[in-house]
Amino acid sequence: MAKTSENPYVVQPVMKALRVLELVARHGHEIALTAVSKELRIPKTTTFRYLQTLSAAGFLDHNRATDRYTLGPQMRSIARADASVSKIRGLARPAMTELMHEFNETVNLAVKGNGTIVYIDLIEANRSLRMQARIGDSHPMHSTALGKAILAFLPEAERQRQLDLPLTERTGRTLLEREEIERQLRQVARTGYATEMGENEDGAMCIGAPILDEHGYPVAALSISAPLMRMPHSLAAKAGARLREIAAGISARLGSQPAIAPR
Amino acid sequence: MAKTSENPYVVQPVMKALRVLELVARHGHEIALTAVSKELRIPKTTTFRYLQTLSAAGFLDHNRATDRYTLGPQMRSIARADASVSKIRGLARPAMTELMHEFNETVNLAVKGNGTIVYIDLIEANRSLRMQARIGDSHPMHSTALGKAILAFLPEAERQRQLDLPLTERTGRTLLEREEIERQLRQVARTGYATEMGENEDGAMCIGAPILDEHGYPVAALSISAPLMRMPHSLAAKAGARLREIAAGISARLGSQPAIAPR
DNA sequence: ACACGGGTTTCGTGTTGCGGAATTCGATAG
DNA sequence: CTATCGAATTCCGCAACACGAAACCCGTGT
């Protein structure tokens, strides 16, 4: 077999299992062990083990009734998440660049993770003083403008569930009282953007607006972050309005209906 | 390690590699070897091999410039194909049941594979005499009504490429001359449905209409199949018209613009 | 120049994946 | 009810090969 010649670091079991995964996935319908084994010329026993492993990991689904295999939830879930993220990133990027130039501050894009927000893109201002998140970082919902923007537009039940979790204290100014947080979230829902002042990182502030999908669900948020000293109230209000506007534009392109329908 | 206790047939390298795949995929952005290794508590060397293998298989993408990994084309392609198939199947199913009752013959749904059509669903008529395809089977394009319906609506270049391949002879009546096939395809393009009489299976016939996606590309086709003796010309014409109508309905729900725009 | 962090390569070890064969299971038939 | 076939599981002994520590390489920052 000349298969190994390519890359000395490929682990054969993994490679073969991936071929099984691909075959099953592309088959488009339930397929049985023997069929896979014959098609790929991998002995039945080995194929069996791969199918078991792939199923155990959720990448395949084993229908016990028919003893056949299909694409599993894990694959679908990963694909969905990825498609959603890249769609949002793609839609947001031009607007983010524009925003960055407009205010000459760093612009961030984050999606809602499980109880956190995860940065998926950011465009850095060309300034010496800046404290940045990195793409892939997670931050708590309640201590960031990005998170507060999302929280404010979450369905009531889910928001309550989020706020019931223990709230970590990132800085001395991090909001921890339920009352105060809820008051702010109502405010965010009214104005359409959230503000955070030194609650996540000392000396830094952030203004964020939510991005809603076609169901009106806040899947992501857009923000501008700056050192506290560089962002006076008047400028913050202007930035908030601008963020709201741009985020709404992205939401619209995700299929979200604006509050007041045009046409 | 209590990990193995579950299922004695899981092969560890595969399982661990899948955890790597999942982590990278869910990270939503480029991630480096060391980060993966630390996160999953898998030694650097091993993680390295998995990342190499996953990349070699196309499930991950290795950015040589930054030495980081992202979700690869293979995953996206599989996900796309799967989403498309299940969407079409879901949209078509009710109409297929209806059609089956209307004509009391088997109704088939197939997607375009690579040079073939692949059955992704079928509803069988409750009759004793029937010769069926099975879900997952592939048949040549040129010998089936499903395939001819798709061929007729393919972009010129791709159709030519298909017809340049050697054409297998399924029965004595299978069309093999380029001239005759192209004549028929023009006819199909005009009438909106394709007919096949004993060209794929002796004694069986089939009538098919294409399902077009939002770009007008024929991603799938719908058909009614019956023994030759049970489907006289007059009935076939009626079935063709009905198939065209129903397939167009499904196409519309896939976002395809009808030939004559309404509104 | 040096240390450091991250990626790649080497290499000897023994784990563990492999696959042939035996077994069970279930459906169909006689 | 027994036979038979085809498919999925289980068993088992062997050695291939995955493993991971450590060495190495290379670019960066100090």
Side-chain angles (χ1 to χ4, degrees), chain B residues 59-113:
Chain B
F59 282 76
L60 290 183
D61 209 28
H62 182 206
N63 182 341
R64 298 199 147 278
T66 60
D67 248 318
R68 281 153 205 273
Y69 299 82
T70 358
L71 201 60
Q74 190 74 216
M75 285 288 281
R76 294 208 169 86
S77 150
I78 287 174
R80 256 176 216 293
D82 169 67
S84 159
V85 164
S86 34
K87 186 171 183 183
I88 292 172
R89 186 166 24 218
L91 285 177
R93 198 133 239 273
M96 288 173 70
T97 312
E98 198 182 314
L99 263 176
M100 188 276 279
H101 285 121
E102 201 171 324
F103 292 90
N104 196 24
E105 296 290 358
T106 295
V107 176
N108 312 280
L109 181 64
V111 291
K112 179 186 167 300

Side-chain angles (χ1 to χ4, degrees), chain A residues 8-50:
Chain A
Y9 297 115
V10 298
V11 179
Q12 258 92 328
V14 173
M15 184 54 101
K16 283 185 284 180
L18 291 175
R19 296 210 295 130
V20 169
L21 174 58
E22 183 184 356
L23 180 75
V24 175
R26 293 216 183 278
H27 190 259
H29 188 71
E30 293 197 333
I31 185 169
L33 162 60
T34 311
V36 177
S37 166
K38 284 212 181 95
E39 181 79 29
L40 296 179
R41 312 281 181 75
I42 298 174
K44 220 171 33 158
T45 315
T46 307
T47 308
F48 175 67
R49 274 191 283 256
Y50 293 158

Side-chain angles (χ1 to χ4, degrees), chain B residues 124-190:
Chain B
E124 307 203 352
N126 186 19
R127 294 222 193 187
S128 47
L129 176 59
R130 49 181 173 168
M131 56 287 291
Q132 275 339 133
R134 308 190 132 271
I135 294 180
D137 283 357
S138 307
H139 282 168
M141 289 254 190
H142 67 284
S143 71
T144 57
L146 289 159
K148 288 200 271 187
I150 289 173
L151 278 173
F153 287 84
L154 236 31
E156 183 59 22
E158 193 177 352
R159 174 171 46 245
Q160 292 308 328
R161 224 173 318 119
Q162 283 304 331
L163 297 177
D164 283 339
L165 303 177
L167 304 177
T168 59
E169 182 166 8
R170 298 265 309 172
T171 73
R173 302 170 79 171
T174 303
L175 301 184
L176 298 173
E177 351 258 281
R178 184 69 166 252
E179 295 298 306
E180 173 60 6
I181 295 177
E182 292 192 328
R183 204 188 57 71
Q184 281 205 14
L185 293 183
R186 281 193 298 275
Q187 165 91 355
V188 171
R190 270 201 304 280

Side-chain angles (χ1 to χ4, degrees), chain A residues 68-82:
Chain A
R68 280 150 204 274
Y69 300 81
T70 358
L71 199 61
Q74 191 73 215
M75 284 288 279
R76 296 212 169 84
S77 152
I78 287 175
R80 260 176 213 292
D82 169 66

Side-chain angles (χ1 to χ4, degrees), chain B residues 175-223:
Chain B
L175 301 184
L176 298 173
E177 351 258 281
R178 184 69 166 252
E179 295 298 306
E180 173 60 6
I181 295 177
E182 292 192 328
R183 204 188 57 71
Q184 281 205 14
L185 293 183
R186 281 193 298 275
Q187 165 91 355
V188 171
R190 270 201 304 280
T191 60
Y193 66 90
T195 308
E196 165 266 305
M197 315 275 279
E199 297 153 38
N200 190 55
E201 208 74 65
D202 274 317
M205 65 85 65
C206 195
I207 310 167
I211 293 174
L212 312 177
D213 72 5
E214 72 269 36
H215 309 298
Y217 188 89
V219 284
L222 193 62
S223 80

Side-chain angles (χ1 to χ4, degrees), chain B residues 21-47:
Chain B
L21 174 57
E22 184 184 357
L23 180 75
V24 175
R26 294 214 182 277
H27 190 260
H29 188 71
E30 293 196 334
I31 185 169
L33 163 60
T34 310
V36 177
S37 165
K38 284 212 179 95
E39 181 78 29
L40 297 178
R41 312 279 182 74
I42 297 174
K44 220 174 31 159
T45 315
T46 307
T47 308

